[in-house]
Amino acid sequence: MSRKIIPFIVAFVLICLVMVVAGVFSFSGLAAAEKFNSSVVASQSFPTAESMKIIDVTGDGQDDLFIQNNSFVAVYDPNFNILFSNSFSTPKTTLGDADGDGVEDIIVFHNATGMSVDVISRGNQTNIAQLLNIGSPSRVALIRFPTGPQIVLGDSSGRVLALSTDGTVLWESNVGSAEIRGMDDARIGGQIHVAIASNDGTVKVFASDGSNVWTVNQEQLRRMRAFDLNADGNSEVITGGEYGAFKIYNAADGQVIFEKSLGQAVSEVREVELNGEPSSREIVAGGKDGGIWAFSFNGTTATQMWTGSLSDKVTEIAGLDINEDGKQEAVIGDDAGKVAIFTENGTRNNLPDHSSGITRIDIGKLGNERYVVVADYNEVQTNKVTFSSIPGFQYTPLVVGVIVSAVILIIAGILASIPPKPEMKLSLQDKSRESLEAQRRMLKEHIADVERLRKAGEMSNEAYLSRLKRLRGDLAENEAAFKTAGFPIKTETFACPNCGGTLELGMDKCEYCGQVILS
């Protein structure tokens, strides 16, 4: 192969590698043009928030910050001034307009000399039920059934109890025999029902009178959510199992629409409108070992969009439209205090770490500013998140790749244009007689070796002639050096009159050109 072609072949291989790497960086989001940053505006000590929401619960038209942990329920204004605070024993809470005045109320299911339910409306607390026949609080939800709103309670042993908004017991049931881990409204034919799941894997859907529509049993269950993902009037019930089972059920009949094993316990599931397209809905699931999966649901099945990961158990997933472009970002926190924003294509932007695990995340307007509020095991922080986009920056790696490729081609051209190194020749001038005789013996030994290799079939004819021509030429130069030095020498070679190749005396045909030689 020509030495001028080799540099270009090597250059072509290097250029392909450079452009592949540039393409990966450009189109995978590793060099994304979109960047998110955040700074802490204010913080408030509030250990282990279990529930948190930016919402107007005072009726003044301004959003407040509602927070609940295992012993307190509190409402703060944008500057963390307390608007309402009260202590409860093992409370579970939900938000909803229980009294029909158009303002969200705080419904508290707690232990106060027996199981009780309080409603906090515009800061005024009212006990509506006590000494209820149910165990330790696990879940509470305000479900707006077609017959009217009901407060549905779930305890740590699988018992379910439904109350009217004035505290009257309406119906009761059981969902398995373990802690209630999920409770959500579910539409069937456009009518509201309630889906309830317990830790033992039992999932049930109830009508407003407490009648059971359907029941399924699966592996131990960690999370359950219900969403009408395709707006057909029938919700989809989404579950995450203890051993990685991720399932989507049809709320109308309990049939499995989609299922996949995620390989680790599913610790959280949320709906996140990643692509801004209302005809398809997206679901983000997080795992106990930090795995993250995004799925798009088209009405009949789910398709995996991307995967990601954090360093520890995913504890919270929130769908937040941070840059107000109609698409939500998935803001995800883990048990190590990491917080990251994942965009539609799975690009990850890290926000500042927290000193303890993340428990809740929400976004909303507090005062005149929109904040991302993050709660960890120690405190609640309001963060100002900024978004920046550099047009065209995404394709910078491709531009760099083209420039590097051009440099590689230039270097290949320079290498190909360098003339070949002159063939090293033995200098036989100005040598002593002993030196010339030693060189002559060495050349004859080399010629004999070449002859031996050809006869043994270890050297091709072409290689043999090429090597022999060079050695005989060196021998002729040796003879000339003897003559120049005035030393007597018996001439053993002569030049072919046709091609100039050096031949041994006595040959009548040139080995190199085939010319017949008359002696």
Side-chain angles (χ1 to χ4, degrees):
M1 183 180 295
S2 172
R3 61 176 297 279
K4 293 182 178 295
I5 297 176
I6 293 175
F8 288 103
I9 293 176
V10 175
F12 175 76
V13 174
L14 291 176
I15 287 171
C16 289
L17 291 174
V18 167
M19 293 310 296
V20 166
V21 172
V24 168
F25 272 84
S26 291
F27 299 109
S28 68
L30 294 176
E34 299 179 340
K35 298 295 180 185
F36 295 87
N37 296 293
S38 76
S39 57
V40 177
V41 176
S43 63
Q44 172 65 44
S45 175
F46 202 98
T48 318
E50 293 181 354
S51 182
M52 183 179 72
K53 185 70 176 175
I54 298 175
I55 192 170
D56 180 12
V57 294
T58 59
D60 63 357
Q62 298 292 318
D63 281 346
D64 313 299
L65 180 59
F66 158 76
I67 318 174
Q68 169 251 311
N69 64 9
N70 61 1
S71 58
F72 277 94
V73 171
V75 178
Y76 295 91
D77 71 7
N79 298 314
F80 280 118
N81 297 313
I82 294 179
L83 300 176
F84 173 86
S85 178
N86 201 354
S87 62
F88 294 89
S89 175
T90 62
K92 298 299 177 182
T93 59
T94 191
L95 298 170
D97 184 6
D99 56 14
D101 65 353
V103 176
E104 296 292 298
D105 305 314
I106 304 169
I107 301 168
V108 187
F109 174 29
H110 63 106
N111 187 351
T113 315
M115 299 304 115
S116 299
V117 174
D118 287 17
V119 175
I120 304 167
S121 178
R122 300 176 186 261
N124 299 311
Q125 181 176 338
T126 304
N127 176 258
I128 65 168
Q130 56 186 332
L131 300 175
L132 295 169
N133 183 28
I134 192 169
S136 299
S138 179
R139 286 290 189 279
V140 56
L142 179 67
I143 307 297
R144 296 195 171 280
F145 290 108
T147 56
Q150 297 180 19
I151 299 170
V152 183
L153 314 175
D155 71 8
S156 58
S157 63
R159 287 182 58 80
V160 175
L161 188 67
L163 310 175
S164 67
T165 55
D166 63 5
T168 303
V169 175
L170 300 176
W171 54 270
E172 56 186 302
S173 187
N174 283 84
V175 179
S177 57
E179 179 188 7
I180 299 298
R181 299 301 297 268
M183 183 182 293
D184 217 342
D185 57 18
R187 292 182 179 273
I188 299 176
Q191 299 296 310
I192 296 291
H193 293 64
V194 63
I196 305 175
S198 69
N199 183 237
D200 65 8
T202 305
V203 182
K204 291 186 177 184
V205 170
F206 296 94
S208 61
D209 60 357
S211 58
N212 182 209
V213 179
W214 54 262
T215 302
V216 297
N217 293 283
Q218 61 165 68
E219 72 178 34
Q220 277 186 277
L221 182 145
R222 278 176 166 257
R223 284 292 180 269
M224 186 218 74
R225 308 285 184 192
F227 311 105
D228 187 358
L229 295 173
N230 57 340
D232 65 349
N234 290 321
S235 294
E236 284 71 42
V237 178
I238 305 164
T239 65
E242 184 70 41
Y243 305 103
F246 176 75
K247 295 187 177 185
I248 301 178
Y249 297 94
N250 186 330
D253 55 17
Q255 295 299 307
V256 175
I257 301 173
F258 175 81
E259 61 182 317
K260 180 181 176 67
S261 176
L262 301 185
Q264 57 187 269
V266 181
S267 56
E268 188 56 280
V269 176
R270 294 283 187 183
E271 180 193 30
V272 181
E273 186 49 66
L274 289 169
N275 63 9
E277 173 55 56
S279 63
S280 65
R281 307 299 286 272
E282 291 75 57
I283 311 154
V284 178
K288 185 178 180 181
D289 297 329
I292 302 166
W293 298 264
F295 298 92
S296 176
F297 185 79
N298 63 7
T300 57
T301 189
T303 303
Q304 185 169 299
M305 299 172 63
W306 49 261
T307 63
S309 66
L310 290 179
S311 59
D312 207 331
K313 180 178 76 173
V314 173
T315 54
E316 175 68 322
I317 301 171
L320 313 175
D321 186 2
I322 295 174
N323 55 351
E324 299 185 83
D325 62 351
K327 299 178 182 179
Q328 289 185 332
E329 288 74 41
V331 185
I332 303 176
D334 73 5
D335 209 29
K338 302 287 185 183
V339 182
I341 297 175
F342 289 82
T343 59
E344 175 188 0
N345 60 5
T347 301
R348 172 177 170 173
N349 288 266
N350 293 325
L351 298 184
D353 292 348
H354 286 241
S355 60
S356 60
I358 307 303
T359 59
R360 287 293 176 264
I361 300 172
D362 197 18
I363 189 172
K365 193 172 183 179
L366 291 171
N368 297 320
E369 296 285 345
R370 292 177 81 246
Y371 296 108
V372 173
V373 183
V374 181
D376 60 30
Y377 290 126
N378 298 319
E379 62 181 5
V380 177
Q381 293 181 353
T382 55
N383 296 266
K384 183 64 178 176
V385 176
T386 57
F387 167 78
S388 60
S389 178
I390 306 174
F393 180 77
Q394 176 182 353
Y395 302 104
T396 298
L398 288 178
V399 175
V400 174
V402 170
I403 293 173
V404 172
S405 299
V407 171
I408 292 173
L409 280 176
I410 292 171
I411 293 173
I414 292 172
L415 292 175
S417 65
I418 296 175
K421 184 178 179 181
E423 185 179 346
M424 188 171 66
K425 293 276 188 179
L426 287 171
S427 175
L428 302 177
Q429 304 299 322
D430 302 322
K431 297 286 186 178
S432 67
R433 180 174 184 135
E434 290 78 9
S435 176
L436 291 171
E437 287 178 346
Q439 290 169 348
R440 186 178 183 84
R441 286 194 300 272
M442 179 186 69
L443 290 169
K444 286 187 175 182
E445 289 173 0
H446 285 339
I447 290 171
D449 287 341
V450 171
E451 293 283 359
R452 179 179 57 77
L453 289 172
R454 187 189 67 162
K455 289 178 181 178
E458 298 179 16
M459 179 179 283
S460 67
N461 191 56
E462 182 180 348
Y464 163 75
L465 291 176
S466 175
R467 180 67 176 152
L468 194 61
K469 185 175 183 179
R470 183 181 301 172
L471 289 172
R472 284 177 176 170
D474 291 342
L475 186 60
E477 290 182 11
N478 178 269
E479 292 175 356
F482 263 98
K483 292 179 181 178
T484 301
F487 302 133
I489 184 73
K490 179 181 178 182
T491 302
E492 299 181 7
T493 61
F494 72 100
C496 172
N498 182 54
C499 68
T502 304
L503 305 173
E504 293 182 14
L505 284 176
M507 296 185 68
D508 56 5
K509 185 176 182 180
C510 178
E511 295 174 295
Y512 311 114
C513 66
Q515 176 71 37
V516 176
I517 300 171
L518 300 176
S519 4

